[in-house]
Amino acid sequence: MKRRYTAAAAMMMVMGLCASASAAFDENLNDYTLDAMVVEADAVKNKFGDTITEQSYYRTGGDVKVITREEIEKRHYTDVSEAIKRIPGVVFRNPGYRGGEYGFSSYNNTVSINGDDRVIILVDGRRVDNAASTRLGSSGATQNKSTGVNLDQVTNMENVDKIEVIKGPGASVYGADATGGVINIITRKGGQTNRGSIDLATGSWDKHKYAISYSGSAGSDNSFHYFVSANRDMSGDTKFKDGDTGKTGTLLGGRYKEDGVNVRIDKDFNDKQNLKIWYNYKDGKDGYPICTPRLRYFNAKDWADTAFKLTTGILDENNKIVGDPLWWNGNKLPGYINMFQVDGAFGSYNSFKNNDLDIQYTFNKENGMDSFFRVYNQTHTYTGRDVYKWAKDSQGNFYGNTSMVLRDEYNKLYPNGATAEQLQQFIKDHIVPFPGDEDAMKEWVKENGGVGEPNRWNIEKNRGAQLQYAKTIGQNDIIASVTYDKSKLYSKSIRNGVTNVSHTDRTTITGYIQDKIHASDKWDITPALRYSHYKSFNTSTGGNKIDGKGASNEFTPTLNTEYMFDDTSSMYFGWTKIMRPIKQGDYTNTDTYQSVPLDDEKGNVFTLGVKKDITDKTTVAVHYDWTKMSNSIAKLPVVHEGSLVYSPVNAKEDKKSINLTLDHKFDEHFTLSASYSHMKDKWMAKDGWSLDPSWGYKNPQDVNTAINSLRPANQYALNLSYENGKLYTGLLTNWYTGCSRTAFTDKQFLVLDWNVNYEFTKDLAAYLLVNNLTNEAYQTAYSTTYGGASMPGRCIMVGMKYNF
């Protein structure tokens, strides 16, 4: 049932209806909720053809995609990353399993937009990162600059109404460091009628999904709205396809279990004033397998050979020790990474727990813009256990990986060498049995500690307040805001019986003002200015205080404009001066020998795009993005005084990307979206730096670093959907090419995801999901130590959803 339109909403409707009846840039816009009203079809578009959301008044132009609740319902996405991976230019790098170790980018799921990791994650327009966080190290080999948010840990999908993806800095209100773009998760609000849903699914690898929600309104005037949801997602150990052998393997420790609860309460006082209270709880315990095994060497013989060479020594043909162990050069052994399966067998894990509270009072709405005061409090706790035990003597005492005691034990038992059987038995008793021998491994784990308490803790807290005032004056829509944020990080770890404790806090104050000038009915110009003040880190480690690092103050202007040539074509242009402040993670791996601290990352981003309706059923678009950094932080191998050292340095960066998209509606049943994305980075050393020539650069000053080899150069996507009455089905095809064989097992890979949804009645639907339909062997992340991380193989889920 449609509600009364507010004046602002009515204006949006008129603007949307003026747009041409073009093919939708965003899928499933047939039934669309925009805050307190329900709109349909082209009514959710503005005059430029851009999809309107609750926070779209911030942006002007840009390449914006919106995932709607209708699409989420029909495709049954299980997490945010699954929902947005169909969007051109969005690439995920993850280690092949669910969770990730705090502070290490190699083990975490990260997202990039047009090749840039500087992506800001929002919930209802509010940043959810922590300025003191080291959730993801920024100086990893992949040049990760993530803001430290794992998309899949933000909130559960039952809580999501829309996902707005903004490429480039088109919404710089969210931060001067939004270089790659913004992902804004808009939460669900209770509607006019009371209704609930139960969603149950099961599938491969003991994978299960349980979700329930209930929402509605109360009061004599239905001005009180509520939405409540709870969910559980869980899985056994992940299966994967090995790109080297073509065999299917099991990722020991790839299991997970995640729970979530969400509550949103809204009180509408009138058309312009309302109060929103949102609470989010989410926790999970994810296995920690560290890396994907190489199945070619995952057998008892190669396991024994690798384990012995790593921990005890080198053997001759008679199995007599003739050389020292190779632990510190273990990556020279082809089966080296297989040894980390012991972590999974011992139950190593990473867990998280989020408690988020957001209270917002909107005191005025004008021309679709909100004036509000908001307070928020976030507490995110990360714990983990990374334990494995091997190499023990006959008395059951464990020793270091290069233990001479273990070597003496072997020489005492077999001074003249050992038979193959004796060697296998020694390894089984004194080092670690082959994980493929499940009974022996279970017994080893049981005898030697097994699953236990965590040995590291990280607690992130940040509290803040935001005031925004918006006013329309003639042709000008003016927005001004100020935000205060206090971030803290508490860390504790226990290693070899020694407890280490540290504490870091950082205060941030930002101010923002923008003026959206409606120069004509075809042209909008939006200049804006942001002020960012970051206090220095106040860090205490083991009683020692380290203060005075990272302070910065910066004004960053931006200019965005959009012009409509006619009812079928428009273009946009944007420029933003960007600044990513130094983070604690940059100092965690501080430069090896520089006496001058690292500088903040600074540069400029330019975007240019054109959209054109070829016919009333076909739309094409081009988006170009250019980032030019004068100071970008990269961890590079630097030759210093004749030695090679790895050091974070300020380098120049030149990144360019392009997206081409085509949307076509064949008829009332079939729709198609096709896209091509290409991105390229060029890193250049500053004067005086020389880099390791073995990396293959054209010359020491041409630093085209490994970032381009650690991701596909090209991405082709094809999204085909069919809807006919009660049946809906969709096929998503992602084809990645230009992959380096250094990082990937193939130069290209094709990944298919398929879903079917059938409505038996208006309240009961059944669905089938198949991810990685052809069981493709592929990787999205690479580590110089652990190699490429194989992604999950074919996963089939069947489920039913009941509305009541």
Side-chain angles (χ1 to χ4, degrees), residues 205-218:
W205 323 322
D206 293 325
K207 196 171 183 179
H208 308 294
K209 170 188 174 183
Y210 314 93
I212 185 170
S213 68
Y214 193 76
S215 65
S217 60

Side-chain angles (χ1 to χ4, degrees), residues 25-26 59-66 84-91 111-116 118-120 163-172 174 178-184 560 572-576 605-609 621-627 655 657-663 673-679 715 717:
F25 290 99
D26 298 312
R59 50 179 161 89
T60 299
D63 188 357
V64 182
K65 301 293 183 183
V66 177
I84 67 174
K85 68 180 180 182
R86 74 166 181 82
I87 296 176
V90 175
V91 176
V111 59
S112 65
I113 297 179
N114 290 335
D116 202 311
R118 305 174 187 93
V119 176
I120 292 176
I163 306 171
E164 183 182 31
V165 181
I166 308 170
K167 299 178 186 178
S172 59
Y174 299 122
T179 313
V182 169
I183 298 173
N184 185 21
N560 289 285
Y572 57 84
F573 170 78
W575 162 74
T576 298
V605 179
F606 303 89
T607 59
L608 177 66
V622 180
H623 174 87
Y624 178 77
D625 187 292
W626 179 27
T627 300
K655 181 188 71 66
S657 66
I658 188 170
N659 297 155
L660 308 176
T661 60
L662 179 148
D663 294 276
S673 176
S675 66
Y676 166 74
S677 301
H678 175 79
M679 62 276 309
Q715 177 186 5

Side-chain angles (χ1 to χ4, degrees), residues 401-441:
N401 296 314
T402 57
S403 169
M404 293 301 295
V405 175
L406 187 66
R407 183 174 178 176
D408 291 342
E409 187 90 18
Y410 182 83
N411 286 330
K412 182 179 178 180
L413 289 172
Y414 312 113
N416 298 314
T419 65
E421 292 75 15
Q422 289 172 330
L423 176 62
Q424 290 283 349
Q425 191 63 43
F426 180 87
I427 292 170
K428 185 175 180 180
D429 294 340
H430 295 278
I431 303 178
V432 63
F434 174 52
D437 186 345
E438 295 184 7
D439 293 336
M441 178 56 76

Side-chain angles (χ1 to χ4, degrees), residues 527-548:
L529 181 66
R530 164 175 282 277
Y531 169 72
S532 303
H533 169 71
Y534 292 88
K535 288 191 66 175
S536 60
F537 294 118
N538 293 314
T539 304
S540 175
T541 306
N544 299 319
K545 296 188 68 176
I546 306 172
D547 298 330

Side-chain angles (χ1 to χ4, degrees), residues 126-281:
R126 177 181 60 81
R127 294 181 63 144
V128 295
D129 56 307
N130 183 298
S133 171
T134 57
R135 173 88 173 94
L136 300 177
S138 61
S139 55
T142 57
Q143 318 305 325
N144 193 313
K145 302 296 192 309
S146 171
T147 51
V149 178
N150 186 328
L151 263 178
D152 296 334
Q153 295 179 354
V154 173
T155 189
N156 68 77
M157 287 302 293
E158 283 298 307
N159 180 49
V160 178
D161 185 60
K162 305 178 193 70
I163 306 171
E164 183 182 31
V165 181
I166 308 170
K167 299 178 186 178
S172 59
V173 61
Y174 299 122
D177 53 338
T179 313
V182 169
I183 298 173
N184 185 21
I185 300 170
I186 300 173
T187 62
R188 296 175 71 180
K189 178 181 180 180
Q192 282 292 92
T193 58
N194 297 338
R195 63 180 304 173
S197 68
I198 298 175
D199 193 348
L200 304 175
T202 186
S204 305
W205 323 322
D206 293 325
K207 196 171 183 179
H208 308 294
K209 170 188 174 183
Y210 314 93
I212 185 170
S213 68
Y214 193 76
S215 65
S217 60
S220 58
D221 56 354
N222 286 337
S223 62
F224 180 83
H225 303 269
Y226 56 88
F227 174 83
V228 181
S229 70
N231 76 296
R232 167 168 288 183
D233 295 300
M234 58 191 299
S235 174
D237 287 344
T238 300
K239 301 286 186 180
F240 68 93
K241 180 81 171 289
D242 182 61
D244 187 23
T245 64
K247 297 179 180 179
T248 297
T250 300
L251 191 61
L252 295 179
R255 66 192 73 89
Y256 65 85
K257 183 172 74 172
E258 298 181 355
D259 298 320
V261 175
N262 294 101
V263 179
R264 174 170 167 173
I265 299 172
D266 293 82
K267 170 62 177 176
D268 296 329
F269 300 105
N270 51 51
D271 290 342
K272 295 187 176 182
Q273 297 175 320
N274 71 281
L275 176 68
K276 183 196 79 172
I277 301 174
W278 178 73
Y279 171 72
N280 174 67
Y281 173 85

Side-chain angles (χ1 to χ4, degrees), residues 60-124:
T60 299
D63 188 357
V64 182
K65 301 293 183 183
V66 177
I67 306 294
T68 67
R69 184 66 207 176
E70 184 181 0
E71 178 178 344
I72 294 171
E73 295 278 359
K74 290 179 177 178
R75 295 211 174 208
H76 299 278
Y77 299 125
T78 57
D79 52 50
V80 177
S81 62
E82 185 178 310
I84 67 174
K85 68 180 180 182
R86 74 166 181 82
I87 296 176
V90 175
V91 176
F92 289 93
R93 291 202 307 269
N94 62 61
Y97 54 92
R98 188 76 174 181
E101 184 176 356
Y102 190 95
F104 291 89
S105 59
S106 299
Y107 308 129
N108 283 272
N109 300 317
T110 60
V111 59
S112 65
I113 297 179
N114 290 335
D116 202 311
D117 297 324
R118 305 174 187 93
V119 176
I120 292 176
I121 311 301
L122 313 166
V123 172
D124 290 333

Side-chain angles (χ1 to χ4, degrees), residues 74 93 164 250 327 369 453 463 466 514 540 612 708:
K74 290 179 177 178
R93 291 202 307 269
E164 183 182 31
T250 300
W327 178 257
M369 303 180 296
E453 297 299 316
R463 300 174 180 175
Q466 180 183 9
Q514 78 168 36
S540 175
K612 173 66 178 177
N708 292 307

